[in-house]
Amino acid sequence: MPLKPITVNNGAEKKIYLLRPRGFCAGVVRAIDVVKIALDLYGPPVYVRKEIVHNKHVVDELRQAGAIFVEELQEVPMGARAIFSAHGVSPEVRREAKVRQLQVIDATCPLVTKVHLEAVKFARSGYTIILIGHKDHDEVIGTLGEAPGRTFLVSTITDVDALRVSDPTHICYLTQTTLSLDETRDIVIRLRQRFPLIEGPPAQDICYATENRQMAVKAVASFCDLLLVVGSQNSSNSKRLVEVGENTGVRSFLVNDWDDVDEQWLSGVKNVAVTAGASAPEHLVNELMASLKEHGFHQLEEVELVEEDVRFSLPGELAHAASVLTTISTR
């Protein structure tokens, strides 16, 4: 439930319901800070494997600041400084970095690292691992790499029904951190039906930010005619917000920014809800809000589901370098 009751718009004026929490989560803030601080400490070029987070605007801004984004480590010069993205990497990528003698800074979200550690622990205990997630997503590729010979990927209940495992008494499941809560719940229910002895992670793998943003969409669904989600097309958590909206019966669209908004969507709309995926910058939300105001949406109500105060510390290698530099500069 929201922290305070949502007000029904019974008047004639058009209204925006602005959802909180929205936008950057702690893992995204940390990853972006890693690139910015590395550029400040060492100067460009700093190489980043894959998009640091899945947002076009963020990547473009960091590229302009001197970050060089590459798809694979072969594109990074021997011995250069390289940053792993928030989505994590497989052990094979880490081994390649050592061979290339790269100075690695790991910006993997700690909540993704948690899933990796769970995979390693279950694999060492001889479990078959069922990973719930989306094929070809960077996070899933990294997690699969922890125990490729013992891990099966499922994305749907149909995938679960097709599973064949050698020992159904020694099996566990893990999940991608940015999934739909409802869809994941249904898949887990089916897994438990097929494999009654299946074990799960000690705590839910879907991250707090993904859950909070989805719950906020559900809370406001009955009050709005349209949902606009600010985020990039390759952002898993942003796409899930659209799905949650659609599943509650609300017309929902994912937009990079206001330029992606089809003004026909606003025709006949009296109440619009606005949120942003966990890697979308706040200034894009502000720009979209300003444009909505120009289209007659003058009322505003901020709907806050829960206060988020999660913070993650910098990677050890970067925190140490920053503290040394600070000490030297204050002498």
Side-chain angles (χ1 to χ4, degrees):
M1 293 294 293
L3 295 182
K4 63 179 182 179
I6 304 173
T7 305
V8 178
N9 180 18
N10 290 320
E13 280 199 36
K14 296 179 180 180
K15 183 173 182 177
I16 302 169
Y17 290 97
L18 181 60
L19 305 191
R20 290 186 63 186
R22 64 178 178 274
F24 285 176
C25 64
V28 166
V29 170
R30 177 179 183 266
I32 295 171
D33 284 349
V34 164
V35 179
K36 290 181 176 179
I37 293 171
L39 287 168
D40 288 342
L41 284 174
Y42 309 115
V46 169
Y47 293 86
V48 184
R49 183 184 180 275
K50 306 290 186 179
E51 292 187 346
I52 187 67
V53 298
H54 285 157
N55 186 272
K56 173 184 179 295
H57 292 272
V58 170
V59 170
D60 287 346
E61 178 186 338
L62 293 174
R63 184 179 285 116
Q64 291 173 8
I68 298 177
F69 290 88
V70 300
E71 282 299 302
E72 299 299 343
L73 293 184
Q74 295 95 318
E75 302 171 59
V76 181
M78 289 284 292
R81 186 165 280 104
I83 297 174
F84 293 155
S85 79
H87 309 103
V89 299
S90 68
E92 181 59 34
V93 173
R94 296 183 186 279
R95 284 191 288 270
E96 184 181 0
K98 286 185 178 180
V99 169
R100 298 186 65 77
Q101 300 177 358
L102 301 181
Q103 302 174 64
V104 170
I105 303 172
D106 190 355
T108 301
C109 173
L111 299 181
V112 174
T113 298
K114 165 185 171 289
V115 181
H116 280 239
L117 294 176
E118 290 166 349
V120 171
K121 179 181 177 181
F122 278 123
R124 286 175 177 170
S125 299
Y127 282 78
T128 295
I129 301 169
I130 310 302
L131 177 60
I132 305 172
H134 296 291
K135 183 182 178 183
D136 297 330
H137 188 278
D138 290 336
E139 179 186 331
V140 166
I141 292 170
T143 306
L144 283 171
E146 295 290 357
R150 307 196 66 88
T151 307
F152 294 87
L153 176 65
V154 298
S155 302
T156 64
I157 291 176
T158 301
D159 292 340
V160 174
D161 291 339
L163 278 174
R164 298 292 181 269
V165 299
S166 57
D167 184 1
T169 69
H170 212 53
I171 185 173
C172 69
Y173 73 86
L174 301 172
T175 80
Q176 183 181 336
T177 63
T178 55
L179 298 179
S180 160
L181 293 166
D182 294 336
E183 185 178 6
T184 303
R185 177 202 61 215
D186 293 342
I187 292 174
V188 170
I189 288 173
R190 184 61 182 139
L191 281 170
R192 293 194 184 281
Q193 289 172 343
R194 285 212 59 201
F195 310 104
L197 298 180
I198 194 169
E199 297 183 32
Q204 174 180 282
D205 287 335
I206 296 177
C207 84
Y208 75 94
T210 296
E211 178 174 3
N212 289 344
R213 284 149 186 74
Q214 290 182 21
M215 295 304 292
V217 168
K218 289 183 178 182
V220 80
S222 62
F223 296 84
C224 63
D225 315 304
L226 176 71
L227 171 69
L228 297 178
V229 178
V230 180
S232 290
Q233 293 295 328
N234 62 341
S235 168
S236 174
N237 76 87
S238 300
K239 291 168 75 173
R240 303 293 82 77
L241 291 174
V242 173
E243 291 175 2
V244 169
E246 291 175 339
N247 290 339
T248 59
V250 179
R251 284 193 307 138
S252 305
F253 298 97
L254 178 61
V255 296
N256 265 308
D257 48 38
W258 173 255
D259 289 342
D260 283 353
V261 175
D262 184 339
E263 294 185 18
Q264 290 186 355
W265 299 344
L266 304 177
S267 177
V269 170
K270 180 180 171 185
N271 302 294
V272 59
V274 174
T275 188
S279 52
E282 182 66 8
H283 74 85
L284 299 179
V285 176
N286 293 335
E287 291 166 8
L288 184 141
M289 297 278 290
S291 295
L292 285 173
K293 188 174 181 180
E294 292 176 359
H295 284 73
F297 290 85
H298 297 300
Q299 283 197 59
L300 173 64
E301 179 174 342
E302 194 156 30
V303 177
E304 185 170 11
L305 185 76
V306 63
E307 292 185 18
E308 284 186 353
D309 58 359
V310 179
R311 299 289 183 273
F312 294 138
S313 58
L314 290 172
E317 59 269 32
L318 195 61
H320 176 71
S323 65
V324 170
L325 186 65
T326 300
T327 300
I328 293 172
S329 64
T330 55
R331 284 177 180 172

